[in-house]
Amino acid sequence: MEKLEGYIDHIIFRNSENGYTVLSLDSGGDEITCVGVLSYVGEGEKVELTGQYISHHSYGEQFKIESCTVKTPESEEAVERYLGSGAIKGVGASLAARIVRHFRADTFRIIEEEPERLAEVKGISDRKAREIAQQVYEKRDMREAMLFLQQYGITTSLAAKIYQQYGQRLYQVIQENPYQLAEDINGVGFRIADEIAMRVGVQADSEYRVKCAILYVLQQAGGDGHLFLPRDLVTQRVGELLGVSIEDIDQYLTDLSIERKIVIKQETEERVYSASAYYTELSVARMLCDLNISGEIDESVIQRKIAEIERKTGTSLAEMQKQAVIEAVRCGLLVITGGPGTGKTTTINTLIAYFESEGLEILLAAPTGRAAKRMTEATGYEARTIHRMLEISGPQEERADSFSRNARNPLEADVVIIDEMSMVDIYLMHALLDALTVGTRLIMVGDRNQLPSVGPGSVLKDIIDSGQVPVVCLTQIFRQAAESDIVVNAHKINRGEQVTYNNKSKDFFFLKRYDADVIIRILIQLIRERLPRYVDAQPFEIQVLTPMRKGMLGVERLNRILQEYLNPPAREKRECEQKGQRFREGDKVMQIKNNYQLEWEIRGRYGIPVEKGAGIFNGDMGIIREINLHTERVTVEFDECRMVEYPYSGLEELELAYAVTIHKSQGSEYPAVVIPILAGPRMLMTRNLLYTAVTRARKCVTIVGDPEIFERMIENNMVQRRYTSLAERIHEMSEAPLE
């Protein structure tokens, strides 16, 4: 390691989110470019840096900072230089010179101990003297706080968040209850807080540690789709997490219940909910029951209107499609469910035509941008994501106050039609219902046999299972769809029947291969050469869908290999690396978590923004258009030409998307999908996973792998249980016994 000492001449660049800084250091007359995470130093300060010189391929030689010590200015020249650098707001070079001329070497002591004396200098009032002193205190306090936090292994970017949250109270929080960080600061979970606590010396069976572990276990359960956990399972998971035996977990559960952080309910089993999960589910049940009203209608009138729509559009509806229209007119709440090729889109189009003829205001929406785009193309009417329809505006959770449209400012619509309802989780459902007034019709369309939502809950399944909401199930496969082996085989898979794969089909192929590396070579060949011509699409539009993240055919390995073949390195393509993942201009990427604050813009000619908004969501896919190595920002273009700039620290929300898990593909449709299949965990290799993958393809499905594993997946009808209770809550609200 080398050491440098000098004055910070100027800050070239600073990322306000993570503190990454590029600065120019004046070291004995030489100007040296230095880079590192330094959110707490400013221009004019004297610093001692430890690090090493590196060669940047675009910006030449730089000094990479490992550690930084701020030196108190000692000489009069150093004090004047610091005060006049702009580090202290309102103090320029001339005023700094007057202050130092007046107090000489005693300047810093005067500022810190007798700041009122600054008013002795011409041009400084009592108020300005106090402001100067306050700024000096704050800068000193922040530096001291950063150094204090770093001794516990806390990164500079996290330290900046902690200081911003607590100020001088951080010392008390860190030393008494570092687990408070997990509750108060976004991005800090139990494990980070636990590491800090261990360094501080918190006992392994500390009350704070056990309570934080309970909340963490419930949070992790939400990530797995659950809204509660049985009490015994909570006890087991907390014990495994802490690595110690918890003698009296009942007391901690009771305390958290009294603090209103959890809810404990005695049903058929004792259940433990996080407070937000419990009250969200309860509220969803209540609002569904409020909307679930029906009126007396003359069916013959509706039948005549349906016949008129059929005549005008040249369509012929099946009986269940007509029944769906009748129920939609009669009821305030309706579920329409069915597999591929059963006429859901035709039914939606008929509903739109019917309600338009009645002069009603209709809104169409879907959970993802891709699903909304498909809905628009299929209906000819604008469909938006649910988030955009509700006008996302707030914090990083799908609560009512995250959206401009809510109970205080409801949607102005008579009919709201939501497609791909299987993807809607409990929190998004709550936000949607909160924006609807009683009397607005809500029509939910989806396939209950698809995988459940990525987020917590099984909303569509639970609503259907409650038996309290009108449901129309479309089962007839229409002639045109029946000509597609994608549709026919999807239904066979769903029924547990064996599929014929003799490769005589026009849109469903099975290439038998038994070695992972051979399968990958076939994938590359299919994507680069065969399928683009066959389905008239670009290679990037063809999607690899795989059951797993890990393993020889998991997402992580496939993406590393496919990136090298589909978007190889080139001199004109800039690259960056973040936490072991390399990104390159031209890469296909996916957002892997909801981020409601992430701003996007649609650019017109000359790159001028013509529309702006916020919110990029789990599953959104895009292309990296630019990597700026100097500012350390990556520009990604998502659907609808939405351009988003990510700081390097934000790249943890992105991953390569040449291959994605089948779960992540929900709601999307691709010209062609390629599905590699080899052995995997039984609980993962299931029928509905395969069904979901096959139904993502519009023109062609190609499965590459072991036919025996494929057949086992069809036979495996295991459905992983989600701990939810929406069906029961709806029953309670409806005051009807559960059958």
Side-chain angles (χ1 to χ4, degrees):
M1 289 288 178
E2 298 185 57
K3 286 191 176 182
L4 288 179
E5 190 171 296
Y7 297 93
I8 297 175
D9 185 71
H10 62 282
I11 304 290
I12 299 170
F13 168 77
R14 171 167 285 153
N15 185 321
S16 59
E17 295 178 30
N18 61 12
Y20 179 82
T21 302
V22 181
L23 58 86
S24 177
L25 185 77
D26 183 346
S27 180
D30 295 327
E31 282 205 10
I32 302 168
T33 301
C34 305
V35 297
V37 179
L38 298 167
S39 57
Y40 54 92
V41 296
E43 293 178 350
E45 292 190 286
K46 185 178 182 181
V47 293
E48 182 181 274
L49 306 177
T50 303
Q52 59 186 352
Y53 284 98
I54 59 170
S55 180
H56 193 286
H57 62 275
S58 293
Y59 302 113
E61 191 174 66
Q62 299 177 335
F63 189 80
K64 186 177 181 181
I65 303 164
E66 296 295 332
S67 65
C68 169
T69 303
V70 178
K71 302 284 190 179
T72 301
E74 295 166 355
S75 67
E76 292 178 23
E77 179 188 355
V79 173
E80 182 179 334
R81 179 176 188 147
Y82 171 67
L83 292 176
S85 68
I88 305 298
K89 190 177 177 181
V91 178
S94 59
L95 183 54
R98 292 205 300 276
I99 292 171
V100 174
R101 275 202 305 271
H102 188 82
F103 295 114
R104 300 292 179 184
D106 213 21
T107 299
F108 248 88
R109 188 195 66 77
I110 295 292
I111 291 173
E112 291 189 345
E113 298 176 14
E114 304 175 79
E116 68 280 357
R117 287 189 58 194
L118 288 172
E120 296 173 13
V121 178
K122 184 179 179 183
I124 299 180
S125 62
D126 289 340
R127 180 181 172 185
K128 189 163 189 172
R130 288 193 298 273
E131 288 175 354
I132 293 170
Q134 182 65 29
Q135 288 185 68
V136 172
Y137 294 154
E138 286 175 358
K139 287 179 177 294
R140 182 195 63 194
D141 289 346
M142 186 176 184
R143 279 199 296 271
E144 290 175 354
M146 291 294 197
L147 293 171
F148 169 77
L149 293 170
Q150 284 171 17
Q151 70 179 315
Y152 295 114
I154 299 171
T155 64
T156 306
S157 56
L158 178 55
K161 284 185 181 180
I162 294 171
Y163 182 79
Q164 191 175 14
Q165 176 74 27
Y166 300 116
Q168 290 302 296
R169 198 164 67 85
L170 70 87
Y171 300 98
Q172 178 187 351
V173 171
I174 293 294
Q175 291 172 336
E176 290 183 8
N177 178 20
Y179 295 99
Q180 187 69 34
L181 302 176
E183 290 189 46
D184 295 341
I185 298 177
N186 184 44
V188 177
F190 172 81
R191 297 192 184 281
I192 293 175
D194 202 36
E195 277 183 35
I196 296 167
M198 287 172 63
R199 291 192 177 101
V200 172
V202 174
Q203 294 296 312
D205 60 352
S206 154
E207 173 189 351
Y208 296 128
R209 186 170 189 247
V210 177
K211 286 183 177 180
C212 187
I214 291 169
L215 296 174
Y216 177 76
V217 162
L218 292 175
Q219 180 190 48
Q220 291 298 103
D224 293 332
H226 306 301
L227 288 167
F228 70 86
L229 287 179
R231 189 184 187 121
D232 291 345
L233 193 52
V234 172
T235 303
Q236 176 191 326
R237 291 189 179 181
V238 168
E240 291 169 354
L241 178 65
L242 297 181
V244 295
S245 177
I246 307 300
E247 298 298 329
D248 191 19
I249 196 170
D250 289 355
Q251 182 58 51
Y252 299 118
L253 290 170
T254 301
D255 289 346
L256 286 169
S257 180
I258 291 169
E259 293 167 18
R260 298 187 176 185
K261 292 179 179 176
I262 67 171
V263 173
I264 302 172
K265 291 287 287 183
Q266 182 65 56
E267 307 278 351
T268 52
E269 60 198 340
E270 200 162 14
R271 301 170 175 178
V272 183
Y273 300 76
S274 70
S276 66
Y278 176 78
Y279 289 110
T280 298
E281 192 177 62
L282 195 65
S283 184
V284 165
R286 177 186 57 78
M287 291 189 285
L288 283 169
C289 290
D290 288 345
L291 289 175
N292 192 17
I293 55 179
S294 59
E296 293 298 321
I297 57 168
D298 185 343
E299 284 195 21
S300 63
V301 174
I302 302 174
Q303 293 280 13
R304 282 198 298 273
K305 285 195 174 183
I306 292 173
E308 179 64 19
I309 292 168
E310 287 179 309
R311 187 183 62 77
K312 285 182 177 178
T313 58
T315 57
S316 178
L317 300 187
E319 282 307 309
M320 291 310 294
Q321 290 177 304
K322 292 177 182 177
Q323 189 60 38
V325 178
I326 292 168
E327 291 296 314
V329 176
R330 187 175 67 84
C331 304
L333 201 59
L334 175 66
V335 173
I336 301 173
T337 183
T342 56
K344 294 192 296 293
T345 299
T346 302
T347 306
I348 291 172
N349 284 332
T350 305
L351 288 170
I352 292 170
Y354 188 100
F355 289 125
E356 265 201 327
S357 72
E358 297 284 296
L360 301 183
E361 186 70 29
I362 307 163
L363 291 179
L364 307 182
T368 67
R370 284 176 174 265
K373 185 178 180 183
R374 283 172 52 204
M375 199 178 185
T376 299
E377 291 167 352
T379 64
Y381 288 79
E382 183 193 8
R384 292 173 287 173
T385 63
I386 298 172
H387 296 88
R388 289 189 76 180
M389 181 177 72
L390 297 179
E391 299 171 21
I392 185 75
S393 63
Q396 299 204 3
E397 291 179 17
E398 282 157 344
R399 302 192 308 261
D401 59 359
S402 304
F403 300 91
S404 297
R405 293 292 183 173
N406 48 43
R408 296 179 301 279
N409 180 31
L411 290 167
E412 296 168 5
D414 301 300
V415 182
V416 175
I417 303 175
I418 307 295
D419 198 9
E420 295 286 357
M421 264 299 299
S422 62
M423 297 182 65
V424 176
D425 65 37
I426 196 73
Y427 293 107
L428 185 56
M429 188 65 182
H430 182 268
L432 171 65
L433 293 173
D434 192 62
L436 300 180
T437 54
V438 175
T440 301
R441 287 182 177 86
L442 175 61
I443 300 167
M444 298 168 281
V445 184
D447 183 349
R448 69 169 294 166
N449 295 308
Q450 296 282 358
L451 291 169
S453 58
V454 174
S458 298
V459 174
L460 180 63
K461 178 179 178 296
D462 286 352
I463 290 173
I464 294 170
D465 289 348
S466 75
Q468 300 300 307
V469 174
V471 177
V472 175
C473 187
L474 304 178
T475 55
Q476 180 181 334
I477 302 175
F478 288 87
R479 184 180 59 79
Q480 188 174 356
E483 294 172 0
S484 164
D485 285 326
I486 295 174
V487 172
V488 171
N489 288 338
H491 284 277
K492 283 185 176 181
I493 290 167
N494 190 45
R495 293 192 298 266
E497 299 172 5
Q498 289 304 312
V499 170
T500 301
Y501 40 85
N502 55 16
N503 291 338
K504 293 181 180 178
S505 169
K506 292 181 180 179
D507 59 8
F508 194 98
F509 303 98
F510 199 118
L511 305 180
K512 298 176 185 179
R513 301 291 187 277
Y514 304 90
D515 179 84
D517 290 333
V518 172
I519 289 172
I520 292 171
R521 285 202 296 272
I522 297 293
L523 296 186
I524 293 166
Q525 191 178 37
L526 286 169
I527 297 167
R528 290 172 67 179
E529 300 168 19
R530 297 187 183 179
L531 287 174
R533 292 195 301 270
Y534 191 72
V535 298
D536 189 25
Q538 296 298 314
F540 272 36
E541 295 178 272
I542 295 160
Q543 189 62 53
V544 176
L545 302 180
T546 180
M548 297 167 289
R549 288 197 59 80
K550 306 286 186 182
M552 297 293 284
L553 292 176
V555 163
E556 293 173 7
R557 181 170 188 252
L558 284 175
N559 272 320
R560 286 195 300 271
I561 296 170
L562 292 173
Q563 180 190 42
E564 294 307 299
Y565 283 92
L566 301 180
N567 186 33
R571 177 170 292 186
E572 67 275 9
K573 294 179 187 175
R574 284 165 289 195
E575 301 180 358
C576 66
E577 191 168 329
Q578 189 71 5
K579 294 188 176 178
Q581 183 163 235
R582 181 167 296 279
F583 293 101
R584 186 175 295 136
E585 288 178 338
D587 271 339
K588 183 178 178 181
V589 292
M590 173 185 279
Q591 175 80 10
I592 58 171
K593 63 180 287 190
N594 290 340
N595 187 327
Y596 304 98
Q597 275 71 48
L598 201 54
E599 295 181 351
W600 53 262
E601 59 185 31
I602 297 173
R603 298 170 182 171
R605 292 185 66 187
Y606 313 114
I608 299 171
V610 295
E611 185 181 346
K612 292 186 177 184
I616 298 295
F617 306 106
N618 193 350
D620 284 356
M621 295 177 81
I623 303 290
I624 294 178
R625 295 302 184 196
E626 182 185 4
I627 297 175
N628 190 317
L629 300 172
H630 187 63
T631 62
E632 297 204 331
R633 299 185 81 81
V634 175
T635 303
V636 179
E637 181 179 352
F638 288 97
D639 288 336
E640 301 171 321
C641 302
R642 293 173 297 155
M643 309 296 285
V644 177
E645 286 193 1
Y646 290 82
Y648 277 9
S649 62
L651 294 179
E652 62 190 18
E653 296 186 7
L654 287 178
E655 66 181 22
L656 295 175
Y658 299 100
V660 301
T661 62
I662 295 167
H663 221 126
K664 288 282 190 183
S665 72
Q666 283 176 274
S668 297
E669 188 179 73
Y670 311 96
V673 300
V674 186
I675 309 168
I677 291 180
L678 279 182
R682 177 173 163 76
M683 64 181 292
L684 195 61
M685 309 295 280
T686 62
R687 180 188 299 174
N688 73 332
L689 192 83
L690 188 58
Y691 173 76
T692 299
V694 168
T695 55
R696 298 307 91 204
R698 188 165 60 247
K699 295 180 179 179
C700 181
V701 170
T702 306
I703 299 171
V704 188
D706 187 339
E708 187 177 336
I709 302 299
F710 175 73
E711 288 164 10
R712 279 191 213 157
M713 288 182 76
I714 294 173
E715 292 167 3
N716 182 11
N717 198 26
M718 180 190 298
V719 177
Q720 191 172 3
R721 180 184 175 185
R722 286 197 168 191
Y723 292 110
T724 67
S725 48
L726 180 61
E728 295 164 63
R729 298 287 91 86
I730 294 171
H731 263 275
E732 290 171 4
M733 296 290 174
S734 304
E735 297 182 346
L738 185 60
E739 295 177 1

